[in-house]
Amino acid sequence: MMTDQARAPWTRQEFERKLREKEKFYHVNHEFHLLMNSGKLDQDAIQGWVANRFYYQIAIPVKDAAILSNCWDRDVRREWIKRILDHDGAAGTEGGIEAWLQLGEAVELTRDELWSLRRLLPGVRFAIDAYVNFARQQPWEVAASSSLTELFAPTIHQARLDNWPRHYPWIGEQGYRYFRQRLTEARRDVAYGLNLTLDYYTTREQQERMLEVLQFKLDVLWTMLDCMWMAYVEKKPPYHNVT
């Protein structure tokens, strides 16, 4: 049986360190991503990744709207709504979804191919839908903190900007806009989301629960790449053996 001292809440510094230790499970370490970032994927695999991640891009503002629908804190809503505008855009500004469409065109996909979702793998859809449903069903503080995988995001965007032009010279320059703008947006979102999390989870039980929540989101991202690995590396898409 644990002593009271063993069950005492972690300090903010300890709690943040434990959150950041989850980085080893971030999808940047998945074999699919390692191949992609070292120039070892073919064009079909790159296109498949872009097409499947497009569903994630259009789901993000839906997820954030679900969080807002459960939030009665006006100050939080005024800050969190920026995430929706970042992706959907607003009058006079293009958002992340438009930037991802440009990425699609840069890898020689059409906008119709992306919007039709006809290249979306069933497992990727299930994983992303699970994340959106989680955001709808959980208290807003819990759903909001699940976004903290963004702690690890700036390095992944910078790596693509550093490596892709060298490895994939056939990708058009306009495709890199999304990654550039997320370098700034993600850092802003991390600062706000991390402070919310450190403020909200104040008991040891809550803090341990948050580690589980963060792992759930990491599982979503990892599962997406598991599906893409089978389809684009192993060349075994769903129903490949059905005649």
Side-chain angles (χ1 to χ4, degrees):
M1 185 173 182
M2 285 192 174
T3 65
D4 290 342
Q5 184 176 6
R7 295 297 300 168
W10 293 310
T11 65
R12 286 177 72 91
Q13 293 76 15
E14 289 172 327
F15 186 28
E16 180 176 346
R17 177 175 57 79
K18 289 184 178 294
L19 292 171
R20 291 185 181 277
E21 284 175 353
K22 288 285 188 179
E23 185 172 10
K24 61 179 175 288
F25 301 115
Y26 193 48
H27 63 164
V28 69
N29 297 312
H30 193 287
E31 288 176 292
F32 186 93
H33 208 286
L34 294 175
L35 290 180
M36 181 166 63
N37 215 37
S38 59
K40 296 177 181 177
L41 291 184
D42 59 24
Q43 184 172 6
D44 181 62
I46 294 290
Q47 289 179 332
W49 180 80
V50 171
N52 278 273
R53 285 281 300 193
F54 181 68
Y55 188 60
Y56 184 74
Q57 301 307 316
I58 62 177
I60 288 174
V62 176
K63 175 266 298 182
D64 287 322
I67 293 172
L68 290 180
S69 73
N70 291 325
C71 179
W72 289 82
D73 188 316
R74 177 172 175 258
D75 290 335
V76 171
R77 292 198 307 270
R78 292 173 69 176
E79 184 67 28
W80 204 266
I81 200 170
K82 294 175 184 176
R83 296 171 181 245
I84 297 178
L85 298 177
D86 283 344
H87 280 80
D88 282 342
T93 61
E94 295 178 343
I97 291 175
E98 170 59 28
W100 200 270
L101 288 166
Q102 293 175 13
L103 172 60
E105 291 174 326
V107 301
E108 301 178 15
L109 294 170
T110 67
R111 290 177 177 241
D112 177 65
E113 283 180 283
L114 292 173
W115 280 116
S116 71
L117 304 180
R118 59 176 173 261
R119 295 190 63 162
L120 178 61
L121 299 169
V124 173
R125 181 192 290 272
F126 291 157
I128 295 170
D129 287 352
Y131 182 40
V132 173
N133 288 330
F134 178 87
R136 288 181 176 137
Q137 296 164 6
Q138 295 294 317
W140 74 264
E141 298 95 336
V142 174
S145 63
S146 70
S147 298
L148 268 187
T149 49
E150 62 201 6
L151 277 170
F152 320 125
T155 55
I156 205 173
H157 298 313
Q158 188 62 58
R160 291 165 186 157
L161 290 170
D162 292 341
N163 297 318
W164 280 29
R166 181 173 74 256
H167 294 314
Y168 306 110
W170 54 271
I171 296 179
E173 171 62 25
Q174 77 274 20
Y176 296 111
R177 180 182 156 215
Y178 177 87
F179 306 133
R180 290 193 183 98
Q181 67 187 41
R182 285 304 296 166
L183 285 174
T184 301
E185 294 168 354
R187 291 190 176 97
R188 179 205 67 201
D189 292 346
V190 164
Y192 186 75
L194 180 59
N195 281 327
L196 274 181
T197 297
L198 297 176
D199 288 342
Y200 177 71
Y201 296 90
T202 56
T203 71
R204 180 65 169 274
E205 182 179 16
Q206 289 175 327
Q207 292 169 336
E208 290 174 345
R209 168 59 178 153
M210 173 49 205
L211 293 179
E212 294 174 355
V213 168
L214 184 55
Q215 186 62 55
F216 162 74
K217 175 61 183 308
L218 291 164
D219 291 347
V220 167
L221 297 173
W222 197 274
T223 297
M224 290 167 59
L225 290 188
D226 281 346
C227 298
M228 290 184 236
W229 177 275
M230 287 297 296
Y232 306 121
V233 178
E234 297 292 334
K235 305 298 182 183
K236 294 180 179 180
Y239 313 114
H240 68 276
N241 61 326
V242 176
T243 57

